[in-house]
Amino acid sequence: MNTPLLAILFGAIFVNNIVLMRFLGLCPFFGVSTRLSTAIGMSSAVLFVMTFATWITWGVYHLVLVPGSVILGGILPQGLVFLRTVSFILVIASLVQLVEMFLKKFVPVLYSALGIYLPLITTNCAILGVAFLVIDNKFGFLQGTIFAIGTALGFGLVMVLFAAIRERLELAPISKSFRGYPIAFIAAALVSIAFFGFVNMFGISP
Amino acid sequence: MTPDSGNLDLTQKEIKEPLLSPKPKAESNWQIFSKGIILENPVLILMLGLCPVLATSTTVRDAAGMSAAVLFVLLMSNIVVSLLRKIIPSQVRIPVFIVIIATFVTIADYVLQAYTPDLYSVLGIFVPLIVVNCIILGRAEGFAYHNGVGRSILDGLGKAIGFALAIILMGSIREIIGKGTWFGMSVSPSWFRSNAVLFFGLPPGAFLVIGLLKACINKIFKREG
């Protein structure tokens, strides 16, 4: 794949937005987007972990699991690709723990800002989803990094947009059965329609 | 992890008194099975595991394929967790659950890839992503780890049928309005099929349908939120 880096970045933020087009990371999207401050905190934590997780899972896949890899190629020429799901989820779970410990010890300012969001991220399907998408799209290391950063920025953009909408929704007179989740889904549908405007922009298709 | 972090406190609390402790006298087998289908429907009532429900409900066929994969993984992980519940040390139970679930997800992934390549290409990464579906980990932690095999099978079946019901309902609505067909069979006059509301097959349609469904359920069950 020789997609230009700028196209990967734009596509990941707008055209194939992780939440509105790919339906990944819906739990934090609906759970944490009620306040602008929490939305920004969660998005920063996702940006941080998604980039790291993509580097490490890319490394695990290309250096250990693929047939004829650098590390295991000599012993297991047929590769260990079937361990992809197991190894990725374990790597991501340990990575989140590691990041949490590291931040707590060395960057307490960042820890106090992102700390409460980190445990939630382990089960965030967006992180694992991006790790799989990078492999499935056959991205190189740099392309994968750009893709992860773009996806996280797209997540942050939608989180911030949506937090603004939800802060207003709380004051709106909404009928009883629509309060909470239903109106949030319908608002998400409208934001998603807006994002359809980006489809095929600069020739990037979903 | 350091001892004073919030996560560990929660873990220790759960070890002492599990949040969802078993109440063998209060619940009959039928209740365990039927609870997951309507009253504690994992998708429509508890709003868990939304990602696959929205992403793979474009047509009934996709929805049924996803339901089958989730049924298999949930049932098998419940059985294995329940069988091993006396051996798994409670400090490392979550990683063990994840490995057990990931094993069955990998099996489901390869079986779908081998026998139904068309379906697999549509479901894409959502098959391996079953591993982070909170319904499955939630049942392992909340039920199978504290209950016998028979009850865990009933619980897994009930919750999986509840999930299937929700996703197939979504798929039916979206396919009938969006394409004029059901499971690929024509169910509407030809003028409708040629002017079907494409919107419902697209991502915004998924959000709209689940929003309206949830509102109807809130109305029926007199719930809020």
Side-chain angles (χ1 to χ4, degrees), chain B residues 95-164:
Chain B
V96 173
F97 296 162
I98 290 177
V99 172
I100 292 170
I101 295 168
T103 308
F104 292 112
V105 168
T106 308
I107 294 172
D109 193 39
Y110 277 86
V111 168
L112 281 177
Q113 206 169 349
Y115 292 101
T116 53
D118 298 350
L119 184 65
Y120 185 80
S121 66
V122 179
L123 298 181
I125 60 164
F126 284 94
V127 181
L129 281 179
I130 295 175
V131 74
V132 282
N133 191 318
C134 27
I135 301 172
I136 294 166
L137 191 61
R139 291 335 286 167
E141 160 75 16
F143 196 90
Y145 193 55
H146 309 289
N147 286 282
V149 181
R151 292 159 66 87
S152 299
I153 291 175
L154 286 176
D155 177 74
L157 269 181
K159 290 288 189 280
I161 292 172
F163 177 85

Side-chain angles (χ1 to χ4, degrees), chain A residues 20 22-26 82 86 89 97 101 104 125 128-129 132 136 176-179 181-182 185 188-189 192-193 196, chain B residues 1-2 4 47 51 54-55 98 102 106 110 125-126 128-129 131-132 199 203-204 207 210-211 215 218-219 224-225:
Chain A
L20 298 172
R22 289 202 201 270
F23 299 118
L24 291 172
L26 291 175
F82 60 90
V86 181
I89 182 78
Q97 292 281 313
M101 284 194 290
K104 199 168 187 183
C125 50
L128 189 62
F132 287 144
D136 287 349
K176 220 174 167 183
S177 13
F178 271 91
R179 247 173 251 162
Y181 269 111
F185 280 125
S192 179
I193 294 172
F196 249 83
Chain B
M1 182 183 283
T2 42
D4 55 334
M47 307 310 271
C51 299
L54 294 184
I98 290 177
T106 308
Y110 277 86
I125 60 164
F126 284 94
L129 281 179
V131 74
V132 282
F199 172 80
F207 283 115
I210 190 137
N218 284 352
K219 186 85 187 163
E224 250 185 76

Side-chain angles (χ1 to χ4, degrees), chain B residues 68-84 97 100-105 107-108 136 140 144 149 152-153 155-157 160:
Chain B
V70 168
L71 174 76
F72 169 75
V73 176
L74 182 52
L75 205 56
M76 295 310 287
S77 78
N78 258 11
I79 291 173
V80 173
V81 168
S82 170
L83 283 173
L84 297 178
F97 296 162
I100 292 170
I101 295 168
T103 308
F104 292 112
V105 168
I107 294 172
I136 294 166
V149 181
S152 299
I153 291 175
D155 177 74
L157 269 181

Side-chain angles (χ1 to χ4, degrees), chain A residues 26-72:
Chain A
L26 291 175
C27 302
F29 177 62
F30 286 109
V32 196
S33 69
T34 42
R35 287 273 170 279
L36 197 58
S37 54
T38 55
I40 292 173
M42 186 71 189
S43 314
S44 332
V46 165
L47 177 65
F48 203 71
V49 175
M50 196 174 269
T51 317
F52 270 106
T54 306
W55 285 343
I56 296 193
T57 51
W58 191 91
V60 166
Y61 189 80
H62 288 279
L63 301 179
V64 182
L65 298 182
V66 285
S69 62
V70 181
I71 294 173
L72 283 180

